[in-house]
Amino acid sequence: MFNWWRKKKVRRTTYSMGLILPIAPATRLLTANKYRLYYMIQNHDAANYLAFSPSSVVVAGVFNGNEGTHLAAGQPITDNSDQGEVWGIANTAPINITVVEVSEIPESRKGGME
């Protein structure tokens, strides 16, 4: 059987940034990307967690409707299901983080991007 989907031309891109995440306001870590395969966030702090969420009003330290997913000090997280925006905020002090995004973008028949 011929696997035509394996012949599809794509361009794989990796985007990476390191930043100091403040305690306010929330910072957009990733924009929405329908071609995203996965992203990884690494918390480089020794004591503080970060809260991250698709919501731009994510908060840390108070459990309410806008509380995001917690990433503890020194831990990474990888998500291969979310293609929307990702916002983050530190809990009690600015923290150093790294964000990596890997995308696979299909090329059109004319060689350009769709």
Side-chain angles (χ1 to χ4, degrees):
M1 176 181 241
F2 180 73
N3 294 327
W4 61 269
W5 62 88
R6 292 183 186 218
K7 300 295 181 185
K8 186 177 181 181
K9 291 186 178 186
V10 294
R11 180 174 57 111
R12 184 166 285 195
T13 62
T14 302
Y15 168 76
S16 175
M17 71 173 174
L19 64 105
I20 298 173
L21 190 65
I23 57 173
T27 301
R28 184 170 51 199
L29 305 178
L30 293 168
T31 58
N33 178 356
K34 68 180 180 179
Y35 301 114
R36 181 183 304 141
L37 294 177
Y38 64 91
Y39 69 84
M40 186 274 298
I41 301 172
Q42 170 74 50
N43 179 354
H44 297 290
D45 200 82
N48 292 295
Y49 73 83
L50 71 96
F52 66 98
S53 160
S55 170
S56 63
V57 293
V58 63
V59 296
V62 179
F63 289 93
N64 62 29
N66 296 323
E67 180 71 13
T69 301
H70 289 182
L71 183 58
Q75 291 187 330
I77 189 165
T78 301
D79 189 334
N80 64 352
S81 64
D82 186 2
Q83 296 177 332
E85 287 188 333
V86 179
W87 293 77
I89 192 165
N91 67 328
T92 60
I95 57 176
N96 291 309
I97 66 169
T98 300
V99 179
V100 177
E101 177 185 52
V102 177
S103 301
E104 200 166 71
I105 304 168
E107 294 183 5
S108 71
R109 291 185 227 192
K110 296 179 182 178
M113 303 310 296
E114 285 188 334

